[in-house]
Amino acid sequence: MDENALISALQNGFPLDTTVVSAVVGALVTTVFLRRDTSVKEFEKIKAGKFNEVIDSLLKSGKMSYLEYYKCNNFLKIAKIADKVFKDTNSAEDWKRDQQYNFDWFVRFFEYASSIGNEEMQRVWGSVLAGEINAPGRTSFSLLHSLFMLHQEQANLFGEICKFTMLDDKDLKPHLFLFVATNREMFARRGITPTALKELERLGFIECDFRDEYIFENKKILRTGNKQIIIKGNPDNDNKIKTGNVKLTHDGQVLYSVIDDKFKGYRSDVVNFIIARFLKRKCTVYINGRLV
């Protein structure tokens, strides 16, 4: 039986009020920890979603080390978070969709996530797991590796820079507006320095250019909160819209999608600061259709 078939078999055995998250977790625990001499009773516990009972039994029988037990417990906590996120973002009829999963991704996820004991970071990993189950292929191996290397301080910094984002009005893609080169003191007070940003760049979440600014061409329509913001480029500079010194990579955009909403809410002071930077660069700005 291949892994997708195992997931399907487990999923069909779970009660209707559980989700595919339980099936994926069950398949992973079965593949990684259950051996051929494991009793049928343990497999039945897996199908019943009694994962903690299974790992307690494996520990007592000597078939699981204390380190494996610690890691599996961390993973189960993350999976519980993922289950809630998945339920909150999917209707009941969506739970039984016939998805094909890359089981290697889940094994890699387990290897990384099982070492995460910090509750705040576990919430991030839980959202990543829910996102991949909901949309297979969404999260790269490189993001898993970078997320594993991410320290809490760096995670806090990423959250801080995400306060300076607006969403593309068309596809809701997040865009950063960090004018670090020209406003160093203001950003430094928030802990946003070129040195700190370079650490996030090395992890693959952002790209930085402190000698020049990234640009949009001609016109950009953005959204933040209930405000639509239209920016038209400087006609004296080929209609360019200079957007600051930092932009999110694809992995950074995925990470943005799963961080706590407290970092992504509308902030009038931030929006006013960004608009002032556009005006200083001789762009034309409209907010909800009104010229600024």
Side-chain angles (χ1 to χ4, degrees), residues 29-260:
V29 172
T30 299
T31 304
V32 175
F33 294 110
L34 298 194
R35 299 168 175 84
R36 290 187 177 183
D37 59 347
T38 304
S39 68
V40 174
K41 184 186 300 183
E42 301 301 336
F43 186 74
E44 291 303 316
K45 287 181 180 178
I46 290 285
K47 290 182 67 174
K50 299 177 180 179
F51 305 119
N52 289 100
E53 287 188 22
V54 172
I55 66 172
D56 286 344
S57 176
L58 292 174
L59 180 67
K60 290 176 182 177
S61 66
K63 295 178 180 179
M64 176 180 283
S65 69
Y66 281 101
L67 178 59
E68 289 174 323
Y69 183 78
Y70 166 78
K71 295 178 75 171
C72 203
N73 257 318
N74 282 338
F75 174 69
L76 292 179
K77 290 176 183 177
I78 290 169
K80 186 175 181 179
I81 294 168
D83 193 62
K84 183 180 186 307
V85 172
F86 191 88
K87 287 179 179 177
D88 288 345
T89 55
N90 291 273
S91 59
E93 54 268 24
D94 288 332
W95 291 354
K96 295 291 183 177
R97 286 181 299 177
D98 184 20
Q99 293 276 27
Q100 289 295 305
Y101 296 106
N102 179 357
F103 200 71
D104 289 342
W105 187 94
F106 293 107
V107 173
R108 186 77 60 89
F109 181 91
F110 174 82
E111 290 174 351
Y112 286 135
S114 60
S115 296
I116 307 300
N118 180 284
E119 291 184 4
E120 197 168 333
M121 293 301 293
Q122 284 180 343
R123 288 195 288 272
V124 175
W125 283 90
S127 294
V128 169
L129 179 57
E132 181 64 21
I133 290 175
N134 187 49
R138 175 177 183 264
T139 309
S140 67
F141 286 119
S142 64
L143 176 56
L144 293 183
H145 177 73
S146 296
L147 196 56
F148 177 69
M149 299 297 292
L150 188 69
H151 297 299
Q152 183 64 58
E153 295 79 9
Q154 294 168 328
N156 292 340
L157 174 64
F158 186 82
E160 187 65 26
I161 70 173
C162 285
K163 294 176 182 178
F164 291 83
T165 55
M166 293 187 191
L167 302 181
D168 193 294
D169 193 59
K170 183 177 181 181
D171 57 13
L172 299 183
K173 176 181 176 181
H175 296 288
L176 281 174
F177 299 98
L178 292 171
F179 304 93
V180 178
T182 54
N183 298 267
R184 292 203 176 204
E185 290 186 8
M186 189 282 289
F187 283 106
R189 288 194 294 271
R190 293 173 173 262
I192 302 173
T193 65
T195 300
L197 290 169
K198 280 294 184 181
E199 292 181 5
L200 291 181
E201 184 177 47
R202 282 191 287 272
L203 289 168
F205 298 127
I206 60 174
E207 293 180 17
C208 303
D209 185 348
F210 300 115
R211 294 171 299 181
D212 204 349
E213 294 189 21
Y214 296 105
I215 62 171
F216 296 138
E217 300 283 353
N218 300 318
K219 183 175 80 170
K220 196 69 178 177
I221 304 177
L222 302 164
R223 182 165 295 280
T224 178
N226 62 358
K227 297 184 183 297
Q228 183 193 66
I229 299 176
I230 299 175
I231 306 109
K232 294 184 178 180
N234 177 5
D236 297 327
N237 190 22
D238 298 324
N239 294 313
K240 292 179 179 178
I241 304 168
K242 292 187 175 183
T243 65
N245 308 107
V246 185
K247 66 178 181 179
L248 292 168
T249 63
H250 175 73
D251 282 352
Q253 292 170 25
V254 175
L255 181 57
Y256 173 88
S257 72
V258 302
I259 64 171
D260 196 293

